[in-house]
Amino acid sequence: MYSRCFLYLNAQQTTAFRWRAGVLCEDGTFTAGDGDRFVEYLEANPECLFTILANVADEGFQVETIPLLRGADRRAVIARKLGQQFFNATLTTSSSLGHEQSRRKNERVLLAALTGNETFSPWLQALDGTGVALAGIYSLPLLQPLLARKLAIADERCLLLTVQDQSIRQSYLEKGQLQFSRLSALQDASAGSMARAFASEARKLQQYLISQRLLGRQQPITAYLLVHASAREAVTSHCVDRDNLSFAILDIDQCTQRCRFRTPPPDTRCELLFLQLLATDRPPSQFASDSLLHAYHLRLVRSLLHGAAANVLLACLLYAGNDWYQAKQLDEEVEALNRETVLAQQR
C-alpha cells in the first residue's frame, strides 16, 4: 500500500504533508534555495504518491462557450482555446459549467491555467529527477466549489473568501461552479488586518464582477468568510452589510466538523482545510500533463498487473484445490469399491 504525500506550494515555499489514517502530518518546509534538501526528502520517500496543491497569484480563468461536442473533437476544441488564452502556460485544465438552455445546445467551459512556469519548474524538475510518482497538480480555487457543497452553501451566486499563508483568496461561484478567482497579499496577519482585508477585497471583487457584467449593478450577493473564533469579533465589526453586499461568517472549527475532518486549522488560515478536502474528495480537473504523470501511470499499471497476477494465482489455487478435492473423493470411492470386491470374493 502506497503512502500519500501532499505538497502545498505557494510563491515563497513548499510544505510537505503526509496523510496517515485520516490525519495530516507535516514533514517539512522547503524554500527555493532548499533544492538539495528537497531532493533528499523525495529520495527518502520513493514509494509515496505526491500531489501538489498550489495557491499562487499567477493564474488565469476564462469562461468560453463551445459547440456541443464529444470525445476527441471536444478535446481538440478545448486544447485550441487553452492555447489561444494562455499561450505560454504549460499547466492548464478545463471544467464543464453545463449546457446552455437554448435552441442550439452550446457548452460553457471554464478554462484555467497556472501561468507562472518559473514558480513550478524547480519543484517539478526535482520530482522528475528522483522518479517519484506525481498524482496530480491542483489549484486551491478549484477546490472551493467542493467546499461550498460540503458546507451546504445553496446561493445561486456568492463570494467565498478564505485566508491562506499571507494571502486572501476571493472566488466567485455561480450555481456551485467556479467562475473567477484571484489572490491578494496580506500585509499583516493580525485579526484586524484580516478583517479589513475581507471587507475591502469583497467589495473590490463585487465591483469587478459588475464591471465585467457578471453581476447586476443592483443585484444582491453574499460573501462567505471562513474565520476562526479568535478573529470573529474583529471581522464582524469591519464587515458590515451595504451596497447589496452582505457578509456571512463561517466558523472554521464548525466547517471542519461538518466536513468530518480530523485536523482543524489552529487559526483563520485554511490551507489544512483544503489539503484534507483534496485528500478525501479531489476535483475531476487537474493541471498536470500526461508526461508529468508518467511515473504515476506506470505505478497504476504495475498495481493493476500485480492485482491481476494475484487474481490469476488465486484462481489457480482454487482450481487446484477443487481438483485435489475431486481426486480425494475418487480415491475414497476406489477404496470403497476395493473393499466391496474383497468382501464379495470372500463370500
Side-chain angles (χ1 to χ4, degrees), residues 126-153:
L127 288 166
D128 182 63
T130 53
V132 298
L134 177 64
I137 301 175
Y138 297 86
S139 174
L140 192 143
L142 297 183
L143 292 172
Q144 290 190 324
L146 290 176
L147 181 61
R149 286 197 288 272
K150 284 186 175 291
L151 299 180
I153 298 177

Side-chain angles (χ1 to χ4, degrees), residues 15-16 26 34 37 45 74 83 92 96 103 137 139 151 161 183 185 214 232 239-240 248 317 334 339:
T15 305
E26 184 174 339
D34 295 332
R37 193 163 64 90
N45 298 277
R74 181 179 181 274
T92 59
S96 177
R103 179 179 298 178
I137 301 175
S139 174
L151 299 180
L161 281 73
L183 191 68
L214 296 175
R232 186 181 185 94
C239 298
V240 182
L317 291 175
V334 169
R339 288 195 300 268

Side-chain angles (χ1 to χ4, degrees), residues 12-80:
Q12 292 78 32
Q13 62 188 22
T14 294
T15 305
F17 295 88
R18 190 181 301 271
W19 183 254
R20 291 175 178 163
V23 177
L24 280 174
C25 304
E26 184 174 339
D27 278 353
T29 299
F30 310 91
T31 62
D34 295 332
D36 294 339
R37 193 163 64 90
F38 182 64
V39 170
E40 292 175 359
Y41 169 74
L42 296 178
E43 291 176 344
N45 298 277
E47 297 301 320
C48 284
L49 293 177
F50 286 89
T51 303
I52 295 177
L53 176 60
N55 183 44
V56 294
D58 297 327
E59 58 189 353
F61 299 93
Q62 181 67 36
V63 177
E64 291 283 346
T65 301
I66 64 173
L68 182 60
L69 300 170
R70 292 287 186 270
D73 292 336
R74 181 179 181 274
R75 290 192 294 270
V77 170
I78 291 177
R80 185 172 68 252

Side-chain angles (χ1 to χ4, degrees), residues 48-270:
C48 284
L49 293 177
F50 286 89
T51 303
I52 295 177
L53 176 60
N55 183 44
V56 294
D58 297 327
E59 58 189 353
F61 299 93
Q62 181 67 36
V63 177
E64 291 283 346
T65 301
I66 64 173
L68 182 60
L69 300 170
R70 292 287 186 270
D73 292 336
R74 181 179 181 274
R75 290 192 294 270
V77 170
I78 291 177
R80 185 172 68 252
K81 293 283 187 181
L82 287 169
Q84 293 171 351
Q85 291 292 335
F86 313 108
F87 180 70
N88 292 321
T90 58
L91 302 175
T92 59
T93 189
S94 64
S95 59
S96 177
L97 300 179
H99 299 90
E100 295 180 344
Q101 300 299 323
S102 60
R103 179 179 298 178
R104 184 178 181 181
K105 291 185 178 180
N106 293 327
E107 182 184 7
R108 297 177 70 247
V109 178
L110 175 67
L111 307 178
L114 300 172
T115 56
N117 296 333
E118 64 281 356
T119 302
F120 294 87
S121 179
W123 311 109
L124 295 179
Q125 288 177 1
L127 288 166
D128 182 63
T130 53
V132 298
L134 177 64
I137 301 175
Y138 297 86
S139 174
L140 192 143
L142 297 183
L143 292 172
Q144 290 190 324
L146 290 176
L147 181 61
R149 286 197 288 272
K150 284 186 175 291
L151 299 180
I153 298 177
D155 298 37
E156 184 175 0
R157 293 177 176 84
C158 69
L159 308 180
L160 183 59
L161 281 73
T162 59
V163 173
Q164 293 78 218
D165 317 311
Q166 296 297 320
S167 62
I168 180 170
R169 168 69 62 179
Q170 316 116 52
S171 298
Y172 169 57
L173 306 180
E174 182 178 329
K175 296 180 180 179
Q177 299 287 345
L178 178 70
Q179 304 289 319
F180 177 77
S181 183
R182 68 180 183 182
L183 191 68
S184 300
L186 276 175
Q187 302 301 325
D188 186 1
S190 64
S193 176
M194 286 190 294
R196 290 188 292 272
F198 273 134
S200 62
E201 295 300 333
R203 293 190 178 95
K204 289 179 183 178
L205 182 55
Q206 180 195 26
Q207 293 302 317
Y208 173 80
L209 296 174
I210 292 174
S211 67
Q212 297 296 313
R213 297 183 179 180
L214 296 175
L215 197 65
R217 187 169 297 276
Q218 301 300 323
Q219 188 171 9
I221 193 169
T222 301
Y224 289 89
L225 317 176
L226 267 68
V227 177
H228 194 266
S230 59
R232 186 181 185 94
E233 183 177 353
V235 173
T236 303
S237 62
H238 285 85
C239 298
V240 182
D241 300 350
R242 68 178 184 182
D243 299 332
N244 296 315
L245 176 64
S246 58
F247 294 91
I249 299 177
L250 304 176
D251 185 86
I252 283 186
D253 289 337
Q254 294 179 1
C255 294
T256 304
Q257 294 174 5
R258 186 175 297 181
C259 296
R260 297 182 180 179
F261 296 153
R262 299 174 62 181
T263 310
D267 49 31
T268 301
R269 294 178 300 173
C270 297

